[in-house]
Amino acid sequence: MRKEIKLKKLELSYFKGIKSLSVSFFDNKTVISGRNATGKTTIFDAWSWLLFGKDSLGNTIFEIKTLNKKGKVINNVEHEVRGLLEINGEFLILRRVLHENWTTASSTSPSRLKSNETRCFINGIPLTVTEYQKRIDEIISENLFKLITNIHYFHSLKAEE
């Protein structure tokens, strides 16, 4: 069965250089343009991270935390991307969050970042990263996604692929 997948909306909250952004996508065409360093790649990175936990170049390790005006990471915020998809007429809400776990040794010591945790949701239902990725793979494989979103990907494949 042929799948028709439409990205309807993408929302970023404290993702890379963007504190808050909502982009609505239209059925016929949505153009994202701008000068260098205005967030075009960040939007694509957010879309890739939401689906596969990677940036638009395929890196799993990249900085998604937002910096303040002094170049320091803004702490104690959820770094989040939400997407509204329409798949064969059915709507699906995807959400991926990088949650910071903070700890305090004593009441007099400052809190410190203990760890980061990725949380995933589909239609508001929490899933493990593994369960989430399995559901995403049922919608679209990462290789097919790369083929339709990256003009250089096809030429990077080996002949037998």
Side-chain angles (χ1 to χ4, degrees):
M1 179 178 159
R2 183 175 165 257
K3 247 186 238 181
E4 185 174 300
I5 304 168
K6 296 178 185 177
L7 175 60
K8 304 300 275 182
K9 189 175 213 177
L10 197 62
E11 297 175 323
L12 289 66
S13 178
Y14 291 99
F15 186 84
K16 292 181 74 174
I18 297 176
K19 286 185 182 176
S20 179
L21 176 70
S22 180
V23 180
S24 294
F25 295 88
F26 302 99
D27 286 342
N28 54 354
K29 179 169 55 170
T30 300
V31 176
I32 297 175
S33 64
R35 295 178 181 266
N36 290 344
T38 57
K40 300 177 303 294
T41 301
T42 297
I43 293 169
F44 190 32
D45 284 346
W47 176 224
S48 298
W49 186 69
L50 177 64
L51 294 176
F52 306 109
K54 299 176 181 179
D55 69 5
S56 56
L57 298 175
N59 300 312
T60 55
I61 299 172
F62 68 105
E63 189 55 63
I64 71 164
K65 294 185 177 184
T66 304
L67 305 178
N68 63 20
K69 291 179 182 177
K70 295 181 180 180
K72 302 287 183 186
V73 171
I74 299 173
N75 292 320
N76 291 313
V77 297
E78 302 249 300
H79 308 278
E80 178 176 348
V81 178
R82 293 170 303 282
L84 173 63
L85 278 68
E86 182 181 353
I87 304 170
N88 294 337
E90 301 284 327
F91 289 93
L92 190 70
I93 300 170
L94 304 177
R95 182 173 168 231
R96 187 183 288 257
V97 178
L98 181 67
H99 175 79
E100 298 176 344
N101 294 309
W102 289 82
T103 185
T104 306
S106 69
S107 59
T108 58
S109 65
S111 58
R112 63 178 183 82
L113 181 62
K114 180 180 173 186
S115 63
N116 293 304
E117 171 187 11
T118 301
R119 297 178 176 174
C120 299
F121 305 82
I122 296 181
N123 289 339
I125 299 169
L127 301 170
T128 66
V129 173
T130 303
E131 292 168 330
Y132 180 86
Q133 205 55 61
K134 184 177 181 220
R135 294 280 306 275
I136 296 301
D137 290 342
E138 291 169 359
I139 296 167
I140 187 167
S141 72
E142 187 174 353
N143 283 338
L144 179 58
F145 178 81
K146 288 177 184 177
L147 277 170
I148 60 178
T149 61
N150 181 343
I151 61 172
H152 303 290
Y153 184 68
F154 179 79
H155 297 292
S156 72
L157 296 173
K158 297 178 178 142
E160 58 274 6
E161 294 175 320

